[in-house]
Amino acid sequence: MRIRSLLVFALVALGAAVARGAAPWPRHTIDDSSRGADGVRLADVNYDGRPDIVTGWEEGGITRVYLNPGPAKAKKKWPAVTVGKTPNVEDAVFDDFDCDGAVDVVTCCEGKTRTIFVHWAPRDESKYLVPEAWRTEPLPASKGAMMWMFCVPAQIDGRDGIDLVAAGKGGGATLGWFEALGTPRNLAGWKWHPVLDVGWIMSLVLFDMDDDGDRDVLATDRKGKTRGVFWLENPGPGPALAKPWPRHDIGGAGREVMFLDWADLDGDGLRDVLVATKPRDILFLRRTSAGGRTWQPHTIRIPDTAGTAKAVNVGDIDLDGRPDIVFSCEGAKGNLSGVMWLSGRETQAGAAAWDAHDVSGPEGVKFDLVELVDLDADGDLDALTCEERDNLGVIWYENPTRRPAK
C-alpha cells in the first residue's frame, strides 16, 4: 500500500475513531496454568512449518514452551513443557545455541535474580516435552550485572556459534553482546561486551540498517536521559567490533517508548518504525533514506477506550490489501480494551483517518507483545499475545475476517 504517504501522515496528531457495533474477537487459551505470562516469542522448533511459542511466567517463576498442534487443534490447550525455573523472568527466546539441531531457550531475569539462563533442549526430539530432559545453566558473565530485560540471538563475530545481544534496566544497565568463545556449551567462556549505557530497554531488533553487510541494533529505551528510538551501527567484523558503535537517533526523544515493529507502513519499499508510546500514542517514524539516516515522525493517537500503549504490529487484518495496525495495552481496567486494531483510510481532504476496532473486549488488564499469525489456517491473521494481571495467560484472538472463496 502507498496511501500517498506525504499527504496522509500530516505533521499533526491523528486520532483513531472508534468503529461501533463489532463484537470482540473470540479468545482461545493456549495456557493459563501459571501466573504472570510475560511475552511471546516464536520459532519453529520441531521443523513442522508451524510457529511454536516460548513464554516466561514472571510471577510463576518458570518458562514454558508450547508446540503448535496445527489448525485443527489450535483452539484447545497446546502441548507444553516447563524448560526451567526462572524467578523474575522478563523475556524468553528460542535458538539452537550449541548447533546440535535441538532448539534451546534463553531467559532474561530481572528483580533479585539478575541473571540470564540457558535452557539446553534434549537432543532426542522425542523427549522435547519431557521437563526432566532439559538442563538449565546460568550464563556466568551475566550474573548480578543488571536487571536483564530483553535479548536477541545473533551471529555477531562470525565464529564459535550464536552470540547474544542483550540489555537491561535500572542502575548500571547497558546494551551489549555476549561473545560465544570456543565451545558454545562452555558458558564460562562467553564474554560480555558493553556498547551503550541505557535506562530501560524494551525492544531489540537486529537488521542491516545501512546496507553494509552486517547486522545493526535497532532499539527502544523507555527511561533515562537519552530515551527514545535509535539504532547502533555495527563497526564491522574482526578487530573493528571493539570500536564504539555509533548511535543514530530516529525519534521519540524524551518519550516513554515501548515495543516497536519494523515494517513498511506506507508501501514505499523502505521499512519504517512504529512504536507504542505511553500514554496513548503510536509513533510512526517514516524512513526516508535507504541508509537509515533520515526519518519523518508522525503520531497516531489510540482511542480513550483503550488502555495505555504497550506493543504494536503491522499486518493486513481485513484482507483489503492495505496494512493495518494491531496494538496491545497495559492499564486496561474497567471497560477499557487491552487489544485493538486500526484500519487506515484516506479522507476526501487527503488526510489520514484511522478507525479503531476492538479485539479483546474489556477482559484482561496488562498485555504484552502481540504477534500476527494465521493459527487456524483460514486465510486471515489472528492476534497472539499474553496477559499477566487477570492471568488470562498465553492466548490468541480469532480474526473474524474470512478470505473470499476463489
Side-chain angles (χ1 to χ4, degrees):
M1 155 186 160
R2 183 176 179 83
I3 21 180
R4 292 166 55 191
S5 53
L6 292 178
L7 293 177
V8 170
F9 296 100
L11 297 178
V12 294
L14 304 174
V18 180
R20 303 293 182 184
W25 296 6
R27 185 179 78 236
H28 305 291
T29 300
I30 293 171
D31 184 23
D32 57 359
S33 63
S34 188
R35 296 177 296 110
D38 202 1
V40 289
R41 307 283 289 275
L42 308 182
D44 180 9
V45 303
N46 53 1
Y47 310 105
D48 63 357
R50 297 190 290 259
D52 306 301
I53 304 169
V54 63
T55 295
W57 294 77
E58 186 172 5
E59 281 73 34
I62 59 173
T63 294
R64 286 171 64 77
V65 166
Y66 306 94
L67 297 187
N68 190 325
K73 299 180 179 179
K75 297 179 183 180
K76 300 183 182 296
K77 301 287 183 70
W78 289 20
V81 59
T82 299
V83 304
K85 294 182 178 180
T86 49
N88 311 118
V89 60
E90 188 64 31
D91 179 49
V93 65
F94 288 119
D95 213 308
D96 181 5
F97 286 91
D98 54 359
C99 303
D100 66 351
V103 179
D104 312 302
V105 171
V106 167
T107 51
C108 293
C109 297
E110 57 160 338
K112 295 181 179 179
T113 306
R114 300 169 65 97
T115 299
I116 293 176
F117 295 94
V118 179
H119 310 272
W120 300 110
R123 293 175 179 175
D124 182 349
E125 63 181 28
S126 69
K127 295 183 178 180
Y128 202 83
L129 293 180
V130 178
E132 295 78 15
W134 288 76
R135 184 161 63 89
T136 297
E137 290 185 273
L139 183 58
S142 74
K143 295 179 68 173
M146 68 187 83
M147 290 189 284
W148 297 98
M149 296 300 292
F150 206 84
C151 68
V152 182
Q155 178 51 260
I156 300 296
D157 58 3
R159 63 179 186 181
D160 294 339
I162 302 297
D163 306 304
L164 190 68
V165 177
K169 75 172 185 180
T174 56
L175 186 160
W177 62 286
F178 289 96
E179 179 184 5
L181 293 170
T183 304
R185 280 261 184 173
N186 179 23
L187 296 181
W190 287 43
K191 183 179 179 181
W192 171 245
H193 299 276
V195 173
L196 180 73
D197 292 339
V198 295
W200 183 339
I201 289 294
M202 292 294 293
S203 287
L204 294 174
V205 175
L206 301 185
F207 190 80
D208 186 359
M209 299 288 291
D210 49 4
D211 199 27
D212 64 353
D214 54 31
R215 303 178 80 181
D216 308 298
V217 179
L218 173 64
T220 54
D221 190 354
R222 67 182 286 191
K223 297 289 185 182
K225 296 180 180 179
T226 59
R227 60 183 175 172
V229 187
F230 60 91
W231 65 277
L232 298 175
E233 183 179 349
N234 190 324
L241 277 172
K243 297 179 180 179
W245 294 46
R247 172 173 170 151
H248 304 280
D249 289 298
I250 293 176
R255 300 293 304 276
E256 190 171 0
V257 290
M258 306 295 281
F259 288 116
L260 66 78
D261 190 26
W262 176 232
D264 181 8
L265 185 66
D266 59 3
D268 64 354
L270 299 176
R271 283 195 179 187
D272 311 301
V273 171
L274 288 92
V275 57
T277 304
K278 287 185 177 292
R280 286 189 170 86
D281 289 335
I282 295 173
L283 295 185
F284 167 42
L285 305 173
R286 179 175 178 267
R287 186 160 60 133
T288 56
S289 66
R293 296 296 201 277
T294 57
W295 304 77
Q296 286 182 346
H298 310 281
T299 300
I300 302 168
R301 298 206 184 279
I302 66 176
D304 292 339
T305 55
T308 58
K310 182 66 176 289
V312 63
N313 207 322
V314 173
D316 184 4
I317 297 301
D318 52 6
L319 303 178
D320 66 353
R322 298 177 297 191
D324 306 301
I325 300 171
V326 177
F327 64 90
S328 65
C329 300
E330 297 179 335
K333 299 179 180 180
N335 290 322
L336 298 180
S337 293
V339 184
M340 301 186 77
W341 70 280
L342 305 176
S343 56
R345 57 184 169 83
E346 187 175 347
T347 68
Q348 292 182 347
W354 292 92
D355 295 322
H357 313 265
D358 201 1
V359 172
S360 67
E363 294 183 313
V365 174
K366 185 178 181 182
F367 294 81
D368 207 87
L369 289 168
V370 57
E371 298 285 350
L372 302 180
V373 186
D374 184 6
L375 290 174
D376 50 4
D378 64 352
D380 55 32
L381 293 172
D382 306 302
L384 169 66
T385 187
C386 63
E387 195 280 331
E388 62 175 304
R389 283 293 176 264
D390 278 355
N391 283 320
L392 300 183
V394 184
I395 52 180
W396 65 279
Y397 293 95
E398 182 181 352
N399 189 338
T401 306
R402 292 292 182 268
R403 186 179 295 280
K406 293 183 179 180

